[in-house]
Amino acid sequence: MTETDRPETTPTDAVDSALESLSDDGLEGYNYAYLDEHTKREVRRSILKAIAVPGHQVPYASRPMPLARGWGTGGIQASLSILGPEDTFKVIDQGADESVNAANIRRLATETAGVETTTDTTDADVIQTRHRIPEEVVTDDQILVLQVPITDALRTVDSSDAANRRRHAHKNYGKMWVHLYENVVEWGEINIAARYPTMVAGRYLMDPSPIPRWDVPKLDDADALFVFAAGREARIYAVPPHTAVEPLAFEDRSFQVERFPDQACDVCGSTDTYLTEVDDASESAGSTGSRGGIDGSGGSRGGIDDDGGSDAAETETGSDAGDDGRRYVCNDTSFCHKRRSNPDLPRDHHLDRDDVDWGPGTTAADRGGEST
Amino acid sequence: MRALGLDPVHDTRETFRALCDATSRPATVRRLPVAPGDHAVAATLVDHEVTTHTPDDDLREALAAQGRYEAAEPTDADIVHARGVPPWDVRDLERGSLVEPSEGATVLYRVESLESDPEDEDEDGDGLSTVTVSGPGVPETRTVGIGLPAAELEAIADAQSTAPRGVDAIFTAGDRVVAIPRSASMSVEAEVEVV
């Protein structure tokens, strides 16, 4: 049980080899899937109630986990309550499978729940994700668990949880509409980068977690179950499959996803995926560094930064000329990997239907015309 | 829960997954790992943090032996168990409040039969009512046959009509399970007649 036998040095070339070098002692004696059955029962009751009242935030106990709250503890509790030995588990952090946080969550699940893990979206039964929904279409056999830092979309307009719960009770979302209106006045369109306020089944306003606007349409009438779990705020909510999920917008100011005019992924060439701006102006131009963040070398760049690296890029272009140091890469590294060997791979390649409506750029109409 | 013939870790986890599927896709028939299904569902959901009402002595003893049975009257209980048509009225059960609708009761019916395609079943004339649901989890409409009288199912529909306040219904027959959460709108047709 003591941890005195750690090797002095930990290899730092890749996350997985670093993790493998750490000792595995001390897991015997834990219950299956780390959590005790009492905790799992409570999480499970909350998940079922959350599914029964789509979009409503159901309180649960949120036990202490072996990492700090705010690092995915809600997602882990939900995942570990769902996972079984025959499941395959995928964890992504901002689209990347190889971030330290994602790798550690996978490792906890492998060791305590005995699950297989994968980086392939189409192979996974349960996908725990932080701030992205995969590019590939999810199916009705899959459950997505989204990590949630802030559970209430109304927090933006009122910091009082009690007042916001009353607003949800009476479906009183006037304050959010005013917020959106002010946004239009200031920017000419609704300019909310993430946590876009979204109406679920025409009843509850929901914070879809900090996924980009790009991913919000994927929640609407999807085939998979989405479970949103917040560890710090101790709330669980859910969007069942085939549920109407509508981003709030005005008749004359429609909901807009991110646009990447004239940009393609620097690695796979995709023009129809969510791209992350990365800045490597400090490196000399050339192919040596062009795949950083994709091949699992710790994910220090490309697809991890919350702000898509735009801060860094802005300071750079302030003094420097042009776009030289900036490039775009796919945020979903697993799909980018597949696109590298097959650039025309559609996002519904694993289904027996074509033109599945799965977010921006998936339907023929999307691909043919301008963005709406 | 070994007293009920089920594995306390893996059978309850599989039961939860079946409930998860059943609740997120109302009116689909799912399989539980063990029969009778109402025991598996109770063992998965019930502990001392919720109040329970059950007419089933075996279930009550097994739960009480682990300190997981907090008895309550049906009108106060969080989880209410019934075998067939209950003596209480499902419309009187706890529906939660508008601020916290998740406090609405879960009502668990053990029924004789559940059929995913009630029109096909001309053998089963024993009180199989046809329920059609729509709403979240249902692409258009979905139909299921539930072995309860139409009057009881209409009472459930009534108890769910105040959604988001309301009760969530789970039906089990052997190892089959069907859930109709309050988010679903259900309409009940007359019992299937044997022609």
Side-chain angles (χ1 to χ4, degrees):
Chain A
M1 290 292 178
T2 55
E3 305 203 0
T4 51
D5 298 332
R6 283 261 157 94
E8 284 291 305
T9 54
T10 301
T12 52
D13 52 329
V15 174
D16 282 336
S17 61
L19 291 177
E20 272 162 29
S21 76
L22 299 175
S23 120
D24 289 338
D25 293 349
L27 283 170
E28 290 94 40
Y30 279 96
N31 192 29
Y32 175 76
Y34 184 78
L35 301 170
D36 60 275
E37 292 303 309
H38 176 214
T39 301
K40 282 192 257 180
R41 264 196 301 277
E42 206 237 352
V43 174
R44 287 168 181 170
R45 284 196 300 261
S46 300
I47 291 176
L48 291 176
K49 283 298 175 196
I51 298 168
V53 192
H56 171 67
Q57 303 159 48
V58 180
Y60 76 110
S62 191
R63 311 290 160 150
M65 294 298 292
L67 73 170
R69 285 182 171 173
W71 288 83
T73 50
I76 296 171
Q77 288 176 79
S79 295
L80 291 177
S81 301
I82 290 170
L83 285 170
E86 70 279 10
D87 286 324
T88 305
F89 190 40
K90 171 182 165 82
V91 186
I92 51 173
D93 184 346
Q94 284 272 349
D97 293 278
E98 298 292 348
S99 92
V100 173
N101 196 204
N104 272 319
I105 293 170
R106 265 203 306 276
R107 181 161 160 256
L108 178 69
T110 314
E111 297 202 353
T112 61
V115 294
E116 295 285 315
T117 61
T118 182
T119 58
D120 185 344
T121 302
T122 60
D123 282 348
D125 297 302
V126 178
I127 304 174
Q128 181 174 334
T129 148
R130 171 178 173 270
H131 306 185
R132 263 324 294 280
I133 296 173
E135 296 285 358
E136 284 164 290
V137 183
V138 295
T139 65
D140 44 358
D141 297 326
Q142 292 179 314
I143 299 176
L144 271 78
V145 177
L146 286 91
Q147 298 172 204
V148 181
I150 298 167
T151 54
D152 202 328
L154 293 172
R155 194 80 47 84
T156 316
V157 295
D158 190 340
S159 57
S160 162
D161 200 43
N164 288 339
R165 281 160 66 80
R166 280 198 300 278
R167 286 195 180 93
H168 284 296
H170 299 296
K171 200 184 169 187
N172 170 12
Y173 298 130
K175 244 188 146 161
M176 180 52 83
W177 285 109
V178 172
H179 176 68
L180 296 184
Y181 172 73
E182 287 171 347
N183 224 283
V184 170
V185 169
E186 191 168 357
W187 303 100
E189 64 173 283
I190 302 170
N191 191 14
I192 298 175
R195 297 183 53 221
Y196 196 96
T198 300
M199 193 65 115
V200 178
R203 178 59 181 85
Y204 282 104
L205 189 68
M206 183 185 83
D207 186 324
S209 86
I211 54 176
R213 283 171 293 168
W214 185 272
D215 287 341
V216 173
K218 296 176 184 173
L219 293 166
D220 179 49
D221 194 25
D223 285 340
L225 165 67
F226 299 89
V227 175
F228 298 79
R232 190 172 39 193
E233 300 204 1
R235 295 273 197 282
I236 288 177
Y237 50 102
V239 174
H242 305 293
T243 300
V245 175
E246 194 188 352
L248 292 190
F250 297 105
E251 276 176 29
D252 55 347
R253 288 288 184 279
S254 59
F255 170 76
Q256 305 259 6
V257 300
E258 290 83 355
R259 300 176 289 282
F260 307 97
D262 306 324
Q263 297 294 345
C265 173
D266 199 48
V267 178
C268 70
S270 297
T271 55
D272 60 346
T273 55
Y274 183 73
L275 301 176
T276 307
E277 191 180 345
V278 293
D279 167 41
D280 50 10
S282 55
E283 289 177 39
S284 58
S287 60
T288 47
S290 70
R291 300 209 310 233
I294 300 294
D295 288 336
S297 54
S300 57
R301 294 177 308 157
I304 305 292
D305 286 352
D306 273 75
D307 301 323
S310 56
D311 290 348
E314 275 162 28
T315 47
E316 192 63 41
T317 48
S319 59
D320 208 40
D323 294 336
D324 288 359
R326 279 191 286 170
R327 57 198 181 85
Y328 287 83
V329 293
C330 284
N331 180 264
D332 184 335
T333 54
S334 146
F335 189 54
C336 188
H337 207 85
K338 289 187 189 176
R339 276 272 174 95
R340 271 202 282 168
S341 48
N342 180 3
D344 297 323
L345 192 70
R347 274 172 283 195
D348 51 9
H349 64 92
H350 52 298
L351 304 179
D352 48 15
R353 305 169 282 160
D354 286 333
D355 275 349
V356 177
D357 186 5
W358 177 246
T362 33
T363 57
D366 275 353
R367 285 194 300 270
E370 290 289 299
S371 63
T372 48
Chain B
M1 289 300 102
R2 298 195 194 277
L4 297 174
L6 52 90
D7 182 292
V9 175
H10 292 287
D11 285 341
T12 55
R13 187 200 59 78
E14 268 185 65
T15 303
F16 167 68
R17 283 292 281 274
L19 287 175
C20 222
D21 276 346
T23 313
S24 52
R25 294 166 183 85
T28 55
V29 179
R30 302 282 159 172
R31 295 278 175 177
L32 297 166
V34 283
D38 53 342
H39 285 187
V41 172
T44 304
L45 299 179
V46 173
D47 61 28
H48 66 275
E49 289 186 5
V50 291
T51 52
T52 308
H53 177 87
T54 174
D56 188 323
D57 293 333
D58 291 344
L59 183 59
R60 192 160 39 215
E61 274 170 32
L63 290 167
Q66 297 194 338
R68 284 167 54 183
Y69 185 69
E70 288 292 322
E73 289 302 306
T75 48
D76 299 324
D78 296 311
I79 293 171
V80 187
H81 181 205
R83 288 183 293 194
V85 179
W88 33 263
D89 189 336
V90 67
R91 284 168 289 213
D92 296 336
L93 301 187
E94 177 64 49
R95 297 189 196 179
S97 62
L98 274 176
V99 169
E100 198 43 79
S102 67
E103 285 170 0
T106 302
V107 53
L108 170 61
Y109 286 91
R110 179 199 280 211
V111 299
E112 288 301 316
S113 52
L114 291 167
E115 296 297 338
S116 53
D117 206 349
E119 307 300 332
D120 270 8
E121 283 304 314
D122 39 17
E123 304 278 311
D124 257 320
D126 52 348
L128 202 68
S129 302
T130 304
V131 174
T132 305
V133 300
S134 59
V138 189
E140 303 271 318
T141 61
R142 198 179 277 139
T143 303
V144 67
I146 297 174
L148 277 178
E152 182 65 23
L153 290 161
E154 272 160 13
I156 297 170
D158 251 8
Q160 296 183 332
S161 63
T162 49
R165 293 177 62 242
V167 302
D168 303 308
I170 299 170
F171 309 89
T172 66
D175 66 347
R176 295 168 156 218
V177 64
V178 167
I180 303 197
R182 68 190 80 169
S183 60
S185 341
M186 65 192 260
S187 64
V188 186
E189 285 166 40
E191 293 162 35
V192 176
E193 299 293 330
V194 190
V195 183

